[in-house]
Amino acid sequence: MKLKDLLKGIDVVEIKGDENLEITAIQTDSRKAIAGSAFIALKGVQVDGHQYINNALDLGAKVIIHQEKVDTSKEGITYVKVKDSADVAGKIATLWYGDPSAKLKLVGVTGTNGKTTTATLLYEMFRKLGYKVGLLSTVANYIDGTVYHATHTTPDPLSLNEMLAKMVDAGCEYAFMEVSSHAIHQKRISGLKFDGGIFTNITQDHLDYHKTMAEYLKAKKMFFDNLPETAFALTNVDDKNGSVMLQNTKAKKYTYSVKTLADFKAKIIEKHFDGTAVEFNNKELQVQFVGVFNVYNLLAVYGATVLLGQNPDEALLVLSTLKPVSGRFETLRSPEGYTAIVDYAHTPDALTNVLEAIHEVLEGNGRVITVVGCGGNRDKTKRPIMAREAVRLSDQVILTSDNPRFEEPQAIINDMADGLNSQQLKKTLLIVEREQAIKTACTLAKEGDVILIAGKGHEDYQDVKGVKHHFDDREVVRNIFGE
């Protein structure tokens, strides 16, 4: 593709050099530049791509797209100055890969909790309805039935468009993706054409990145602000910020709720550990999910399915057959008669939701033992809150390691324990080794009790000092149970 064709619709400040160059590849990573490629210098949070322009040139790049001033210019190289290279990267990636999102019905799911479950269940829903479908999620990416390893909740623009193009080539009609606040803020989804957007909820998370809740909220809202008139915007109106998402969107507005009137309304009839009896828009069904938070996720799935033109009754029938996402309220029964639940809950709100769901089913007939930690090099302000919520809703708490990354595990645990008073500390154990913490919880449990192992869910590794060591909560539990 010629450079001039790649720059169509791009807000260019200045071009120095030949616009008729044939581009062999586009890259945002200077180490991947090849002869004849275009290198887009992104001004990132930790790394500034402008510092690596010469690296890209040494590897054969012929075009440099930049937003900062470039001090030196080399003969035979075309320099394209733009206002915002992050925004441009998304748009160029879209063009390079043949505008794949325009050939799919693409729906994005954003919010603090429930993104993975909602996007994954939509993928499962439409596959069961007979369509070829793609999924981009935290757990894994799928092109129809083929799985691809996921490294980020929302990939970079090049990887994103490459995956969407593969979905188109595989004959997919629908694609569902998680849209993280980081991706929105960093404009990784720039250039994509969405047919719908779903808002789940917003609670404290990622303040290490966004600094304030106002900035975090603004990032989420930006996704809905940019939806086109042809799309739908479906929001959880029970969340205090649900209606905020719809304020400036051009998309058609729809709501879902458990508590109030909405376009898609749920009523909970009965709860137990094997599922929940519910009514969706006055039609009764049994689902294989536990907890009010999961009812919200399923309601969002139902609403989006109907808004995408599917038969409501058929959608409800499929909903009743769907199973929980791996590592989300995953239930394991012990031979001794107690239950272990593995869940990805790693925010205060998610932890509260899962613990409340457990209490809703237990109804006081059994104790709750919670094993929980916090990730290293992430939002530190949520650590004491996580500990307090765990203690408030548990009979026994064990604070342990999650993914310590480059922090000391004991220091993270101490940050959590700092949020507890002397009375709360009496029912709290501090055990650094996660496997030992799980074993201790199982030793303490009696028939009828529930152990919640929170924070890692589907993850099969523990990130320590930049190395991912194999570790799977579910594997540990199954070994203890003798499975």
Side-chain angles (χ1 to χ4, degrees), residues 5 14 115 133 140 159 172 188 192 206 287 290 308 333 335 364 390 421 471 479:
D5 296 324
E14 182 184 35
K115 292 190 299 295
V133 191
S159 305
C172 293
R188 284 185 236 156
L192 297 187
H206 303 307
V287 294
V290 182
L308 286 167
R333 310 279 188 185
N421 60 35
F471 191 94
N479 287 339

Side-chain angles (χ1 to χ4, degrees), residues 51-66:
Q51 296 174 358
Y52 299 95
I53 287 172
N54 286 332
N55 294 26
L57 292 173
D58 290 343
L59 289 171
K62 289 295 179 187
V63 176
I64 302 297
I65 298 170
H66 59 101

Side-chain angles (χ1 to χ4, degrees), residues 332-340 442-449 451 477-483:
L332 302 133
R333 310 279 188 185
S334 87
E336 281 78 33
Y338 63 86
T339 302
C442 292
T443 303
L444 292 169
K446 295 180 173 63
E447 187 177 350
D449 290 349
I451 299 169
V477 173
R478 288 190 184 106
N479 287 339
I480 294 166
F481 291 178
E483 291 182 16

Side-chain angles (χ1 to χ4, degrees), residues 6 17 26 36 49 75 129 141-142 173 206 209 224 239 244 271 276 303 312 336 364 378 407-408 415:
L6 207 56
I26 51 172
E75 197 174 331
L129 288 171
N141 300 322
Y142 285 88
E173 292 179 61
H206 303 307
Y209 179 86
F224 292 92
D239 185 283
V244 174
K271 308 164 190 169
T276 310
E336 281 78 33
R378 296 293 185 269
E407 285 193 69
E408 288 303 318
D415 284 348

Side-chain angles (χ1 to χ4, degrees), residues 258-274:
V258 173
K259 298 175 182 175
T260 187
L261 288 173
D263 297 298
F264 302 97
K265 177 80 169 70
K267 180 183 175 185
I268 298 166
I269 300 164
E270 193 179 352
K271 308 164 190 169
H272 41 84
F273 278 129
D274 296 319

Side-chain angles (χ1 to χ4, degrees), residues 29-93:
D29 183 339
S30 64
R31 296 167 297 184
K32 294 179 180 178
I34 59 171
S37 62
F39 172 64
I40 307 171
L42 300 178
K43 196 169 175 61
V45 178
Q46 295 174 321
V47 178
D48 186 350
H50 293 81
Q51 296 174 358
Y52 299 95
I53 287 172
N54 286 332
N55 294 26
L57 292 173
D58 290 343
L59 289 171
K62 289 295 179 187
V63 176
I64 302 297
I65 298 170
H66 59 101
Q67 71 181 56
E68 301 291 320
K69 185 182 176 183
V70 176
D71 294 329
T72 57
S73 58
K74 292 188 177 181
E75 197 174 331
I77 305 299
T78 301
Y79 293 86
V80 182
K81 191 171 191 299
V82 295
K83 286 183 179 177
D84 186 338
S85 53
D87 183 54
V88 164
K91 290 173 179 173
I92 284 179

Side-chain angles (χ1 to χ4, degrees), residues 258-259 268 271 276 290-297 353 357 360:
V258 173
K259 298 175 182 175
I268 298 166
K271 308 164 190 169
T276 310
V290 182
V292 177
F293 66 99
N294 267 323
V295 173
Y296 278 103
N297 295 334
N353 285 340
E360 285 162 13

